[in-house]
Amino acid sequence: QVQLVVPMAVVFGPGSVPGDLPRPLPFRDVQEMEISVNLRTTVTSRYEMRYRSTTSQEEAALAAATAREADAALHLLQDTTLGSLTMYVVPETSSLLPQGISVYVGKHRSALVRAGGSLAALQARLREVTQVMSFTAGSIAAALSDRVPDGQLSPDARRYLKSSLGYEITFSLLNPDPKSHTVDWDIEGAVNRYVKPVLDKLSLVANFSVDSQILYYAVLGVTPRYDKESSSFLLSAHSLPHVINPVEARLGSSAASLYPVLNFLLYVPERSHSPLYIQDKDGAPVSTNAFHSPRWGGIMVYNVEAPASPQASLPLHVDVDMARVMEVFLAQLRLLFGLSREEVPPEFLLEGPGNEGLSDWELDHLLWAHTVENIATVSTTLTSLAQLLDKIGNIVIKDDVASEVYQAVASVQSAVTKLSLGHLHAAFQASKEAVTSSERAFFDPSLLHLLYFPDDQKFAIYIPLFLPMAVPILLSLAKIVRETRLRKKEPTKID
Amino acid sequence: ELLLSPLPTGDVAATFQFRTRWDADLQRGSVSHYRLFPKALGRLVAALGVRELHLALTQGFWRTRYWGQPPLQAPAGAELWVWFQPTVTDVDKAWKELSNILSGIFCASLNFIDSTNTVIPTASFKPLGLANGTDHHLLRYAVLPREVVCTENLTPWKKLLPCGSKAGLAVLLKAERLFHSSYHSQAVHIRPVCRDASCLAVSWELRQTLTVVFDFFSSGQGKKDWSLFKMFSRTLTDTCPLASQSKVYVDISPKNKEKELLEVSPPPTSLHEAVVQGDRKTYAVYDLLSPSLFNTSRSLNVQLKWKRPQDSSEMPIPTLHAQRYVGGYGLQTGEICTLIYNTHPYRAFPVILLETVPWYLRLYVHTLTIITKGKENKPSYIHYQPAQDRRRPHLLEMLIQLPANSVTKITIQFERALLKWTEYPPDPNHGFYVGSSVLSALVPSVTAMKDVDVEQSPLFTSLFPSSDGSSYFVRLYTEPLLVNLPTPDFSMPYNVICLTCTVVAVCYGSFYNLLTRTFHVEEPSRGGLAKRLANVIRKFRGVPPL
């Protein structure tokens, strides 16, 4: 019942206009696509395309030598509202795109597409590009994963973090053996250099807080297996699930806030267990020596090189190479937010996100998914509240709870209308408000007062009344039964 | 640091103190990084604007009269007092939130702290760390005397230590032994301190203290000898590699000068003399960081042997101690009596007494009498805040001058209020606890005190500021009281329901019978034996039969 509208501009460069255009430029067109999540829920996506030819400034920008420069120059000329896309169609013979590449997706909200003959072929290609840059059926289904029947969901979809108003990111350094290693990490600098830019970008989606800690004598839950060939220790893939539990007890819960926590652990193995490598399912060592746990965080094993001479005095001082560590952690962070770049056709070229760690269209990708998820969450919350009320009639809904419910419904409706108008940012804000007020309504403590006053207790109280009263009634009932039975027999007797 | 001191009665008190200092300004910066300081507490302090936090969880009661002045006493149950930053706008809200979070961290029922047991003392509690303002509106104090302390509180406490319970002194903290003792008190103190001597920057200090009293006289067949292994069933094998200081102190102060009564083994690394709380004490010090200690044997097992049985008659009586009890009879009125002893031979000194009484004991302030040596003793300062039903407890603070060598008796009468039936706790016939009252005093010392380097002396001397050499600060807690309130018979409502229901049912039954019974004349049949007999007689008489 939700309609997602993506405003799109298709700009034809000189010499790239297909011959079979139905109307002269500029004109508008609408394409629709249906994503059915389950029997009752379908999401319609609607691409409102505006076809036009390039302006002279854009022409100049497209004349740049490489696609990257063109992208940078074009960025200044685009409309930059969240969720909108601009496609520049370049001639088939253009040297802007490298050989064999027909689509170039830039850092911002635009892409360069090589013209492919007829309009139909171009439209098919455009559809692929928009799916990469906004949302796919899979990402929407993942956002609505609560409603997708089991078994239909890809395992990837379970990995993504639930949409929330905020996240806490905790970097922990685990040093199980402080006697032999003194580990130092410049976490403050690393966070400022690598994590901050990404989070600044993501601050539109949620609030983030970052902290770090060092834990001593924190050990993994499994003892690694010794491998003689490589004289190293190995953790196999099937033992990884047992690694986290004992560590988690030490991590310290986030007592001061209710946001979900993302844990990134850097584990420096004990001296007696190093070097330690993680094996994947096939038995090959994992190149990053790290793994992630869905919706929880990631762990990386950082091996300390053995000292050259065995007589080197303990403890050994170790400085962690933060660039190497943060590279892994940021990749894991992207994975947890569902920003992997795997399902892209080979003729696509994606520009790297650069310093910010996240391109604009990836942000849109997140926003689309989170908005849809928020709307789904609100409707689930309100439905379950309603179901609860149906089941337990004792619950008192106070005026403020009621107003929160109304507020949530109004916000959801406004989010849905905003989505169908293509205002992604406004829709996301509205959906966030809806989540806040629906949660507040659902978790209001006043709902709990009479929740556990079941009917059988009431009955137990009144049993001293009901039981003696029932005795004469039952006796007379028995008498009636006896009399009717007698009366049935009597006529034969009399006659 | 571990301080082991034999107590006069033959018990042994073991006091652990772990100090973590954090050179960071908690109030600034959005990103926070923790090394040794536990993250859970650090976030709490930063998020809620806490300036000082003191939390103590105690099982048992420190018997000041027999055990002497405690290093750091805590009232039975849970005690929490917090100073907030002046920037905190809604102190009550922050306090509520803080107690809830702390109850989560320490698995204690601190979430029962609400306005009915929170007070704002004006004089008794002063900030112990760096502070310029002492605006008491930023202070909150609460005691939960009913709280039971057990292993589930100890485990999170141990988790706050940088080395956990894996290395260093903390390996001795074995829950099984610690709770097999007559007194167990664990505490967490967070306060800001100077980073260096010039005091230009602020560091945060986390002190975790744990005091246990083992009773060896009764469990050890009348012998008072003890060793680390006997007490904790563990010995010390190494130090926490992160610690910059790790020492064990054993109190071997001679009771009377001429003869040595006890001996410790192995020989201590050094001896340390200090004046602690007005007494000259000698400590045998074992520095765990010095490599020579673990060279000879792999583990350290400090032992103490008494050379000859000690005569218990020469028990020193502490300068200041107090007792409290409930007087009166019946279930309507009662009396709280507090006895404060000043055994100092020639000096009088003032004491601040803080009483927190729950609202269901209605205090009559006009009955407050303070009698010393048969004469009335007028307090020089009284702060009284009356209770409000179900909202605020009574708060009574007094500054009383205690003359030398005297006993002061403070009595106040109260009336027991009736509670609503939902307000009774489970097992109401057990009684209601009234929290300990707090005595704070600067006690003049008997022996002259020389200026000691505060950082050098063991344990708690550095926690309380000492104003000058001639007196020392003492905070004492009296016994918690157990008061019986008139308790209704809780099965009464059900009994009433049963009774009324039965009456109604009986009435209903007879009405029902009356309304539904059909009366019809029974056809006379041949009748029984009596009737036949009567008819036979009637035949004889010539009367028509029945």
Side-chain angles (χ1 to χ4, degrees):
Chain A
Q1 68 274 41
V2 180
Q3 196 179 38
L4 309 176
V5 172
V6 187
M8 261 173 72
V10 182
V11 182
F12 291 100
S16 65
V17 186
D20 52 350
L21 278 188
R23 270 165 286 174
L25 293 173
F27 68 94
R28 284 168 182 274
D29 188 17
V30 170
Q31 282 190 3
E32 287 199 1
M33 189 176 81
E34 276 219 338
I35 305 167
S36 74
V37 178
N38 58 17
L39 292 176
R40 283 168 49 212
T41 318
T42 50
V43 178
T44 330
S45 62
R46 189 180 153 94
Y47 300 97
E48 287 185 351
M49 306 214 219
R50 206 149 44 83
Y51 294 90
R52 65 182 172 88
S53 55
T54 46
T55 60
S56 58
Q57 284 168 313
E58 283 167 343
E59 246 164 71
L62 283 173
T66 61
R68 189 173 301 171
E69 284 167 31
D71 183 48
L74 285 170
H75 175 53
L76 306 170
L77 308 171
Q78 284 161 21
D79 103 83
T80 52
T81 47
L82 291 169
S84 65
L85 299 172
T86 316
M87 307 286 166
Y88 295 96
V89 183
V90 293
E92 198 148 2
T93 52
S94 165
S95 61
L96 212 52
L97 301 176
Q99 204 63 43
I101 297 293
S102 52
V103 174
Y104 167 84
V105 180
K107 270 163 79 167
H108 306 288
R109 295 189 176 85
S110 64
L112 300 178
V113 182
R114 204 189 282 273
S118 68
L119 180 65
L122 180 68
Q123 273 177 344
R125 189 167 285 170
L126 283 179
R127 196 174 302 133
E128 276 179 40
V129 181
T130 47
Q131 291 211 351
V132 168
M133 291 180 71
S134 57
F135 49 84
T136 55
S139 72
I140 294 298
L144 296 172
S145 55
D146 290 346
R147 310 186 167 207
V148 178
D150 277 343
Q152 286 185 21
L153 211 56
S154 63
D156 268 0
R158 297 180 196 283
R159 176 196 299 155
Y160 308 146
L161 281 167
K162 290 260 144 206
S163 167
S164 158
L165 301 181
Y167 298 95
E168 279 184 34
I169 299 179
T170 304
F171 294 99
S172 309
L173 174 65
L174 306 185
N175 185 359
D177 194 7
K179 259 187 202 160
S180 40
H181 300 303
T182 350
V183 187
D184 262 332
W185 64 344
D186 176 28
I187 183 70
E188 195 147 11
V191 164
N192 283 335
R193 203 169 322 133
Y194 305 110
V195 185
K196 258 284 166 54
V198 182
L199 296 187
D200 284 346
K201 202 94 194 232
L202 280 174
S203 63
L204 207 64
V205 182
N207 300 321
F208 286 90
S209 70
V210 181
D211 48 27
S212 80
Q213 58 181 345
I214 300 183
L215 295 176
Y216 298 93
Y217 289 105
V219 285
L220 300 184
V222 283
T223 30
R225 193 164 46 80
Y226 183 68
D227 185 43
K228 268 186 191 159
E229 286 168 37
S230 56
S231 71
S232 61
F233 290 85
L234 296 176
L235 272 179
S236 50
H238 65 83
S239 66
L240 292 182
H242 310 291
V243 162
I244 295 173
N245 272 352
V247 179
E248 181 146 35
R250 292 278 320 265
L251 284 179
S253 54
S254 61
S257 82
L258 298 170
Y259 295 144
V261 185
L262 288 178
N263 292 293
F264 293 103
L265 312 184
L266 184 67
Y267 180 76
V268 180
E270 299 147 78
R271 218 171 125 70
S272 53
H273 281 165
S274 45
L276 178 68
Y277 296 106
I278 297 175
Q279 267 183 331
D280 61 11
K281 284 195 187 84
D282 310 324
V286 178
S287 61
T288 51
N289 220 0
F291 66 97
H292 78 272
S293 166
R295 292 185 184 172
W296 184 81
I299 297 187
M300 178 178 178
V301 177
Y302 189 91
N303 283 315
V304 178
E305 276 139 61
S309 61
Q311 284 85 31
S313 70
L314 294 174
L316 207 64
H317 190 86
V318 181
D319 264 318
V320 177
D321 176 13
M322 290 313 283
R324 209 179 94 196
V325 172
M326 279 299 159
E327 193 188 343
V328 175
F329 282 164
L330 279 184
Q332 286 177 343
L333 185 71
R334 290 173 61 93
L335 263 182
L336 291 171
F337 275 107
L339 294 174
S340 56
R341 301 180 155 203
E342 286 150 15
E343 63 276 6
V344 177
E347 75 268 21
F348 277 44
L349 177 67
L350 301 187
E351 178 63 45
N355 250 348
E356 290 157 336
L358 201 69
S359 25
D360 285 347
W361 57 268
E362 284 175 317
L363 185 67
D364 289 353
H365 196 95
L366 264 185
L367 282 181
W368 285 116
H370 278 204
T371 312
V372 173
E373 191 184 333
N374 283 349
I375 292 172
T377 314
V378 172
S379 79
T380 315
T381 314
L382 293 182
T383 319
S384 48
L385 181 61
Q387 278 171 356
L388 191 71
L389 284 181
D390 281 344
K391 218 185 261 175
I392 307 169
N394 279 334
I395 296 179
V396 181
I397 297 287
K398 287 188 183 168
D399 282 354
D400 50 338
V401 179
S403 76
E404 291 287 357
V405 172
Y406 286 129
Q407 173 83 29
V409 172
S411 302
V412 161
Q413 278 165 349
S414 100
V416 170
T417 42
K418 295 252 167 64
L419 271 184
S420 63
L421 290 174
H423 302 316
L424 178 58
H425 189 230
F428 179 67
Q429 294 298 345
S431 73
K432 242 161 81 168
E433 279 162 30
V435 169
T436 332
S437 33
S438 71
E439 302 273 288
R440 218 179 294 146
F442 190 72
F443 292 109
D444 196 275
S446 70
L447 294 186
L448 287 177
H449 286 318
L450 289 174
L451 193 54
Y452 301 107
F453 195 67
D455 285 335
D456 41 347
Q457 267 186 26
K458 271 186 226 164
F459 190 72
I461 289 176
Y462 287 115
I463 246 187
L465 179 64
F466 289 147
L467 210 59
M469 272 162 83
V471 169
I473 297 178
L474 289 179
L475 282 180
S476 53
L477 273 180
K479 204 171 152 195
I480 288 170
V481 169
R482 218 186 305 131
E483 271 175 14
T484 45
R485 230 184 251 159
L486 273 180
R487 207 166 290 157
K488 264 185 199 162
K489 276 184 196 163
E490 251 169 44
T492 54
K493 235 182 181 179
I494 290 169
D495 288 344
Chain B
E1 291 178 347
L2 166 62
L3 169 74
L4 296 164
S5 44
L7 297 172
T9 43
D11 307 295
V12 180
T15 307
F16 293 85
Q17 168 168 270
F18 302 94
R19 285 172 61 191
T20 311
R21 223 181 60 176
W22 186 25
D23 294 344
D25 196 350
L26 272 180
Q27 308 303 328
R28 267 188 285 117
S30 56
V31 183
S32 39
H33 304 283
Y34 300 89
R35 259 185 70 85
L36 298 176
F37 204 84
K39 189 181 88 150
L41 286 181
R43 288 197 63 117
L44 186 69
V45 169
L48 292 174
V50 174
R51 193 169 62 191
E52 247 180 58
L53 185 148
H54 302 270
L55 166 72
L57 297 167
T58 310
Q59 184 76 22
F61 178 70
W62 182 277
R63 292 182 281 161
T64 318
R65 171 79 175 73
Y66 303 102
W67 293 347
Q69 222 62 262
L72 187 68
Q73 204 196 340
E79 182 203 33
L80 176 67
W81 57 284
V82 175
W83 279 91
F84 288 95
Q85 298 280 355
T87 48
V88 177
T89 45
D90 192 348
V91 180
D92 283 323
K93 191 168 156 256
W95 166 251
K96 180 95 195 137
E97 212 166 313
L98 177 80
S99 53
N100 276 311
I101 293 173
L102 281 177
S103 80
I105 293 179
F106 290 101
C107 301
S109 40
L110 294 171
N111 51 330
F112 285 105
I113 291 178
D114 54 10
S115 66
T116 58
N117 44 26
T118 303
V119 289
I120 309 173
T122 53
S124 293
F125 292 93
K126 293 272 168 261
L128 297 179
L130 289 175
N132 24 25
T134 51
D135 178 11
H136 61 257
H137 292 293
L138 299 171
L139 172 68
R140 291 292 181 275
Y141 172 81
V143 173
L144 295 174
R146 227 185 134 92
E147 180 72 17
V148 176
V149 182
C150 201
T151 346
E152 78 266 18
N153 308 114
L154 182 70
T155 314
W157 185 90
K158 279 200 287 195
K159 244 197 249 173
L160 298 177
L161 296 170
C163 280
S165 51
K166 299 267 172 53
L169 287 173
V171 294
L172 299 178
L173 300 174
K174 201 176 164 194
E176 201 182 301
R177 305 289 306 169
L178 290 185
F179 289 100
H180 193 71
S181 56
S182 16
Y183 175 78
H184 170 98
S185 168
Q186 60 185 69
V188 172
H189 305 271
I190 299 176
R191 58 171 189 163
V193 291
C194 288
R195 196 168 295 182
D196 43 24
S198 57
C199 209
L200 290 173
V202 175
S203 306
W204 288 84
E205 187 196 63
L206 167 72
R207 261 169 208 261
Q208 292 179 254
T209 63
L210 189 136
T211 311
V212 205
V213 175
F214 291 103
D215 185 357
F216 276 99
F217 193 67
S218 53
S219 65
Q221 294 96 39
K223 273 194 235 157
K224 295 179 187 175
D225 307 341
W226 53 263
S227 70
L228 280 187
F229 186 74
K230 260 196 207 167
M231 276 193 282
F232 303 105
S233 72
R234 300 262 173 97
T235 52
L236 285 172
T237 51
D238 58 350
T239 59
C240 175
L242 310 163
S244 54
Q245 243 193 355
S246 185
K247 285 178 180 168
V248 177
Y249 294 86
V250 182
D251 185 356
I252 49 165
S253 333
K255 290 287 170 318
N256 29 13
K257 297 284 182 291
E258 55 271 24
K259 55 215 167 216
E260 282 277 320
L261 284 173
L262 37 79
E263 74 173 352
V264 283
S265 63
T269 40
S270 63
L271 284 179
H272 178 80
E273 286 209 14
V275 178
V276 178
Q277 289 176 333
D279 277 332
R280 193 175 300 280
K281 298 252 167 117
T282 317
Y283 294 103
V285 184
Y286 298 89
D287 190 351
L288 299 185
L289 288 181
S290 78
S292 61
L293 196 61
F294 292 113
N295 271 356
T296 45
S297 63
R298 287 187 50 80
S299 66
L300 172 69
N301 183 16
V302 180
Q303 286 186 318
L304 185 139
K305 282 202 170 71
W306 294 92
K307 281 186 178 160
R308 59 191 190 88
Q310 195 186 16
D311 30 343
S312 52
S313 60
E314 47 178 325
M315 213 185 277
I317 292 173
T319 320
L320 172 73
H321 59 98
Q323 276 182 341
R324 195 160 72 133
Y325 55 88
V326 184
Y329 52 86
L331 278 178
Q332 202 192 353
T333 55
E335 197 177 44
I336 295 177
C337 303
T338 313
L339 294 174
I340 308 177
Y341 297 84
N342 175 8
T343 56
H344 199 281
Y346 48 85
R347 285 276 301 269
F349 56 88
V351 161
I352 298 175
L353 176 76
L354 169 82
E355 290 260 17
T356 318
V357 180
W359 62 267
Y360 38 79
L361 303 183
R362 301 205 168 107
L363 291 185
Y364 294 136
V365 189
H366 68 275
T367 59
L368 175 71
T369 49
I370 304 167
I371 292 167
T372 315
K373 290 181 173 170
K375 282 178 291 187
E376 192 169 341
N377 185 348
K378 268 235 179 297
S380 44
Y381 168 78
I382 285 194
H383 172 76
Y384 175 68
Q385 198 182 30
Q388 286 174 351
D389 277 7
R390 297 178 180 85
R391 276 168 57 197
R392 205 169 68 183
H394 298 273
L395 167 70
L396 180 62
E397 268 186 299
M398 290 180 290
L399 184 68
I400 307 167
Q401 191 74 22
L402 300 182
N405 218 345
S406 67
V407 183
T408 306
K409 185 178 183 185
I410 301 158
T411 59
I412 186 162
Q413 288 182 2
F414 63 87
E415 189 192 70
R416 296 164 219 243
L418 278 172
L419 296 178
K420 289 181 188 162
W421 70 276
T422 47
E423 286 169 344
Y424 285 92
D427 191 15
N429 288 309
H430 177 70
F432 287 73
Y433 282 98
V434 179
S436 315
S437 54
V438 187
L439 287 167
S440 325
L442 277 174
V443 178
S445 55
V446 186
T447 47
M449 200 190 273
K450 56 178 187 293
D451 270 342
V452 221
D453 190 4
V454 174
E455 283 292 314
Q456 281 295 308
S457 59
L459 295 169
F460 305 100
T461 34
S462 51
L463 186 59
F464 293 119
S466 64
S467 51
D468 49 25
S470 64
S471 58
Y472 58 95
F473 182 80
V474 166
R475 179 169 292 145
L476 286 182
Y477 296 89
T478 60
E479 299 92 336
L481 298 178
L482 193 54
V483 180
N484 263 317
L485 284 194
T487 311
D489 174 12
F490 285 103
S491 61
M492 189 194 71
Y494 192 68
N495 295 347
V496 170
I497 288 175
C498 284
L499 190 69
T500 13
C501 289
T502 317
V503 170
V504 169
V506 166
C507 294
Y508 170 81
S510 39
F511 263 103
Y512 181 84
N513 260 342
L514 273 177
L515 293 174
T516 53
R517 182 156 293 174
T518 48
F519 296 93
H520 50 92
V521 184
E522 196 147 309
E523 285 296 320
S525 57
R526 275 173 287 161
L529 183 71
K531 203 177 173 184
R532 259 189 237 162
L533 212 68
N535 281 346
V536 168
I537 296 168
R538 277 172 175 257
K539 232 183 208 167
F540 280 117
R541 286 169 57 198
V543 189
L546 277 173

